[in-house]
Amino acid sequence: MVATTPAALHFLPPNTTTTKTIHFFSILKPNVISLRSFSHSSSSSSLFSLSHRYPFSLPPCKCSFTAPVSTTTYEFSDNASEMELKLNIGSMDIRSTKDILVDANDTSLTIKVLRSGSPITLIETNPLFDRIKPSETIWYIDDDQLIVNFKKHDPELKWPDIMQSWESLAAGSSQLLQGTSIYLVGDSTEINQKVAEELATGLGYTPLGTKELLETYSNQTVDSWLLAEGSDSVAEGEGAILESISSHVRTVVATLGGKHGAAGRSDKWRHLYAGFTVWLSQTEASDEDSAREETHRNVKDGVSAYTNADVVVKLQGWDPAYAKSVAQGCLSALKQLILSDKKLPGKKGLYIRLGCRGDWPNIQPPGWDPSREGGEIPGTQ
């Protein structure tokens, strides 16, 4: 990625009355930070997403992202290593190629035309769905169309669209996830459930909630169970539910929030490792740098079992109306995580086939018995 500084990055608290902006960013191997903004007109929460399963070794690279802009219709096609973008310009009376500006960078694209001496933006997207090779970008005019040809940085990745959006992320994630399930953990059962519903809808996955499964199984509410038998009993029950669904594919599982849930306990993560885990973490951090530092401290301290998650999404405040934006942040971070190691979905599948023994991410050979290692299960410390 091209190292840049966000041009006009700002943070808005959740209870202001002006137009709001939701921010999220991802920290991935080799410690690349990506920032994206979404604007809304109602009350908002602020969102940060980080993937921390891999060591941080290189200094961060900041990339500024703006919402995609398109003022003209276009056609997009992906043919293996090459892609083609066609824009209709017949009604614009373009008299010379000098009136066209195509600015292609590693993760962004801007196309403008000059009309009566004034620039008009035809398309502006930052980020693109993935990276391109800017030096190999060519464009030309064919009749009433402007045609732009790109070379992909990763020829194996199929692009659903030129822009990264909720729609393109949802469509493109299937090839990356390869059916691997997603587990949402965090202190709020409600947030886990709402975001799981949005993810399941976008991905075409089955939404599951351990709260509903527990209440169906026990024929009582979780609150009643807590009062009658305590949090340890509820955590044991949810652990049994997670074990029973750990071999399921194409599901988004919302887990119980708080310490009474299995995900809040390090010794209950064996079956959560069967899928990609996302920690939806509420924060009081005032900006994205503070949220990043907070997450680094969480991971270093290892006090919370949630730090076992593959991806962390930090959000300030909560409004159910923003569940899709949070879900988009999850998909963006998971996409970058998997692209950093495309063997991860297959590794998750192997972990399931070997019986979810708790040896994630360092999977041991068949026949390995955690009880022979002093009773400790690797990957849960």
Side-chain angles (χ1 to χ4, degrees), residues 113-176:
V113 297
L114 288 177
R115 293 187 66 185
S116 301
S118 299
I120 298 175
T121 300
L122 297 185
I123 189 170
E124 181 176 10
T125 178
N126 188 357
L128 297 167
F129 185 74
D130 196 47
R131 300 168 60 196
I132 62 171
K133 298 178 181 179
S135 62
E136 298 184 42
T137 298
I138 61 173
W139 62 271
Y140 57 93
I141 297 176
D142 183 14
D143 293 332
D144 293 336
Q145 290 185 318
L146 171 63
I147 300 177
V148 187
N149 293 117
F150 308 90
K151 290 277 190 179
K152 289 191 287 188
H153 191 82
D154 182 354
E156 296 181 356
L157 180 64
K158 184 73 172 178
W159 289 34
D161 191 11
I162 191 70
M163 303 179 182
Q164 177 166 289
S165 62
W166 166 250
E167 290 77 15
S168 65
L169 281 170
S173 292
S174 59
Q175 63 179 308
L176 298 172

Side-chain angles (χ1 to χ4, degrees), residues 96-110:
S96 170
T97 55
K98 294 181 180 179
D99 294 335
I100 298 176
L101 169 66
V102 177
D103 183 12
N105 292 296
D106 194 36
T107 59
S108 66
L109 171 69
T110 302

